[in-house]
Amino acid sequence: MTGAAHQTNETNDQGQEKHVTGATIWLTGLPSAGKTTIAHELAGRLCDEGHRVEVLDGDEIREFLSAGLGFSREDRHTNVQRIGFVAELLASNGVKALVPVIAPYADSRDAVRKRHETEGTPYVEVHVATPVEVCSVRDVKGLYAKQAAGELSGLTGVDDPYEEPETPDLRIESHTQTVQDSAAALYALLTERGLA
């Protein structure tokens, strides 16, 4: 496997230029922080501009690629490494891999970044820094309610650790701006780095 994330341009059937510079954009943050919503908003914009894009949803990965893994530190690490491997593979083949996955441990995220650096594949770490108080109100999947009712344990950021990135490439305060503004901030960073 090579990290051939070179800038090349192709044209599609309509003669429009397609962008085929790959990159992994990893959105980390607490459950219900807004990671997946921002990823899909950005994916739509990138697709409209001719980029090849895949959103690697954490729930889908757990169902299809990491079935059988639990939520111990070791299993979470294994899950993140599997996702990182797939993301790098896609990115090295010209795809923008958007990864809205919690990845609660700094060493797991660092290992993914190092894999990309070794392969020469662009990698962007985004911290969707929504406070737990806001996430628990949003509670998109009902996880915080289940934890509060004693039906669930090991909830990241509540009774299981979440190690915030110290130096992410971008920090998004999604609770203070719209989804569109959050995606625009990330798009601006990608543009600045020649990835959009």
Side-chain angles (χ1 to χ4, degrees):
M1 179 172 52
T2 62
H6 305 295
Q7 173 71 50
T8 57
N9 293 317
E10 301 172 351
T11 54
N12 62 16
D13 295 339
Q14 291 78 38
Q16 295 171 309
E17 190 175 272
K18 291 190 332 186
H19 307 279
V20 290
T21 300
T24 294
I25 298 98
W26 196 295
L27 297 92
T28 178
L30 296 174
S32 296
K35 303 178 298 296
T36 302
T37 305
I38 293 167
H40 282 289
E41 179 72 21
L42 178 63
R45 181 168 182 178
L46 291 171
C47 284
D48 287 346
E49 294 182 0
H51 296 270
R52 296 164 61 200
V53 181
E54 288 293 337
V55 177
L56 299 181
D57 179 84
D59 292 335
E60 291 177 2
I61 294 287
R62 274 205 172 264
E63 182 179 353
F64 296 107
L65 188 64
S66 293
L69 288 181
F71 291 90
S72 67
R73 184 181 180 106
E74 295 76 19
D75 282 359
R76 288 178 191 257
H77 179 77
T78 298
N79 185 48
V80 168
Q81 297 318 298
R82 288 178 183 177
I83 297 169
F85 174 82
V86 172
E88 196 284 322
L89 191 63
L90 288 167
S92 68
N93 284 283
V95 176
K96 299 290 188 309
L98 306 183
V99 187
V101 172
I102 296 168
Y105 299 112
D107 59 346
S108 297
R109 296 191 304 265
D110 289 346
V112 171
R113 181 186 288 276
K114 284 188 177 75
R115 169 184 290 282
H116 282 72
E117 288 172 353
T118 299
E119 298 294 337
T121 305
Y123 181 84
V124 177
E125 182 180 75
V126 181
H127 180 205
V128 183
T130 310
V132 68
E133 298 80 16
V134 176
C135 295
S136 64
V137 170
R138 289 179 180 172
D139 205 9
V140 178
K141 298 172 188 169
L143 299 176
Y144 292 92
K146 286 182 181 175
Q147 194 277 337
E151 300 168 16
L152 175 76
S153 62
L155 181 58
T156 301
V158 179
D159 58 352
D160 212 59
Y162 176 72
E163 299 171 357
E164 290 192 3
E166 292 182 9
T167 55
D169 297 291
L170 178 67
R171 195 176 311 277
I172 292 177
E173 309 278 347
S174 76
H175 55 294
T176 65
Q177 60 190 36
T178 66
V179 171
Q180 292 75 19
D181 287 344
S182 296
L186 182 44
Y187 182 87
L189 176 63
L190 295 180
T191 301
E192 182 184 302
R193 297 195 175 182
L195 299 172

